[in-house]
Amino acid sequence: MVDRPVLQYIVEEAAAAGITDVLLITGRGKTSMVDHFDRQPYLEARLEEKGDRDRLAAVRKPSELADIYTCRQHEPLGLGHAVGCGEAHVGDDAFAVLLGDEFVDLAEPLLPPMLELQARTGGIVLSFMEVAPEETKRYGIASVAEPEAEVADIGEVVRVTGLVEKPSQEEAPSNLAVLGRYILPGTIFDAIKRTKPGSGGEIQLTDAMALLLEEGTPVHGIVYRGTRYDTGMPLGYLQAVVQIASQREDVGPAFREWLATFVETSPVVKTT
């Protein structure tokens, strides 16, 4: 994303919310993700010799954000299975899950109110965004009700009464889609073990959370109105690059000027 991997933006988001213990659930061929957060003594020494303090700080920053740990998911068996891989590291504590293909603007934080809400309720806390009716088939969708009075001061809070994975427009209970941010209690691990594989043989986190909801675990959500960057789809990735590049103090002015000229003068090529 311009000059930083998306994963760094995500770890920065966690660190800004006070989370400094980060476990990366990785897979085969993902070692560069972990390496990015290591110190680089040779490069750092060269930059220090040159007196290039700005680049030296940028190179050191990833290793200073948090304590980074890793766990290998040997097969891609779904988000629920991936979360379950973290049980030995997390234990019985509540923890945050941040999906690796989206992040939010640090000026419009999402995690702090979610953490506050979970501290008060002790249950599951989700984050939601409103989507167009035709988009519900891409997301987990919630049915919701008014929250309890004692948590209404935290933000735009809803009480979750049901969850369904990727419903059609006709079957969707609302237009509130689950974002890739969750605060979960340690009891989720047992629920994951009791969750049967669904479509494609994957263990869905939504199904495990729905199981806890049925068993009485409180589930709440915060509707997020800030800026979310979705890099999981080609269009969203391109939009995120343009938005972030345009906001940068160093490259932003020149990039915006070039972009305006490009959009105005470039021919539209039609494909069949």
Side-chain angles (χ1 to χ4, degrees):
M1 195 62 56
V2 186
D3 58 1
R4 281 181 282 171
V6 172
L7 187 58
Q8 181 173 331
Y9 286 91
I10 294 170
V11 174
E12 288 175 358
E13 183 184 340
I19 299 172
T20 57
D21 184 301
V22 176
L23 177 68
L24 305 179
I25 307 299
T26 66
R28 182 180 300 276
K30 303 295 186 180
T31 55
S32 61
M33 291 169 45
V34 183
D35 293 342
H36 177 73
F37 295 95
D38 280 342
R39 294 293 298 267
Q40 302 184 52
Y42 176 75
L43 178 57
E44 291 176 25
R46 292 296 303 274
L47 291 172
E48 194 159 12
E49 289 173 5
K50 294 170 61 178
D52 194 337
R53 299 298 179 185
D54 290 341
R55 286 189 173 87
L56 178 61
V59 168
R60 284 179 173 169
K61 183 177 180 178
S63 65
E64 297 171 344
L65 289 170
D67 295 324
I68 304 294
Y69 304 88
T70 63
C71 178
R72 179 71 66 90
Q73 183 188 24
H74 297 290
E75 295 181 79
L77 297 178
L79 178 56
H81 180 265
V83 171
C85 291
E87 180 178 11
H89 185 86
V90 173
D92 297 328
D93 295 331
F95 62 103
V97 174
L98 293 79
L99 300 193
D101 58 0
E102 58 185 287
F103 59 98
V104 303
D105 193 322
L106 290 182
E108 304 166 293
L110 171 59
L111 285 177
M114 293 181 69
L115 292 166
E116 172 64 21
L117 183 55
Q118 203 281 333
R120 295 195 199 180
T121 64
I124 295 170
V125 175
L126 308 176
S127 55
F128 296 120
M129 65 176 180
E130 291 186 328
V131 298
E134 61 271 18
E135 291 293 304
T136 59
K137 61 186 177 182
R138 293 182 51 203
Y139 301 94
I141 302 295
S143 53
V144 300
E146 289 294 319
E148 301 86 347
E150 57 267 26
V151 298
D153 64 303
I154 294 177
E156 193 171 344
V157 176
V158 294
R159 180 168 56 86
V160 179
T161 59
L163 293 166
V164 58
E165 185 69 23
K166 300 178 181 178
S168 66
Q169 178 177 341
E170 294 73 24
E171 297 174 334
S174 75
N175 69 333
L176 292 179
V178 179
L179 284 175
R181 298 293 180 270
Y182 312 77
I183 312 295
L184 303 172
T187 52
I188 192 67
F189 295 118
D190 178 67
I192 290 171
K193 294 172 185 174
R194 294 186 285 125
T195 298
K196 296 180 180 179
S199 176
E202 295 188 346
I203 298 174
Q204 300 291 346
L205 181 60
T206 300
D207 294 338
M209 294 189 299
L211 177 59
L212 287 184
L213 175 61
E214 291 174 4
E215 295 174 347
T217 298
V219 182
H220 295 81
I222 291 180
V223 181
Y224 184 62
R225 304 290 184 184
T227 302
R228 165 185 175 260
Y229 301 102
D230 180 4
T231 67
M233 300 290 288
L235 178 59
Y237 172 78
L238 293 172
Q239 290 171 333
V241 171
V242 171
Q243 285 177 276
I244 290 175
S246 297
Q247 295 166 2
R248 289 272 295 261
E249 293 183 0
D250 52 351
V251 300
F255 179 71
R256 289 193 298 269
E257 182 179 352
W258 171 85
L259 185 62
T261 302
F262 175 79
V263 170
E264 182 178 348
T265 61
S266 294
V268 176
V269 179
K270 295 183 178 181
T271 58
T272 57

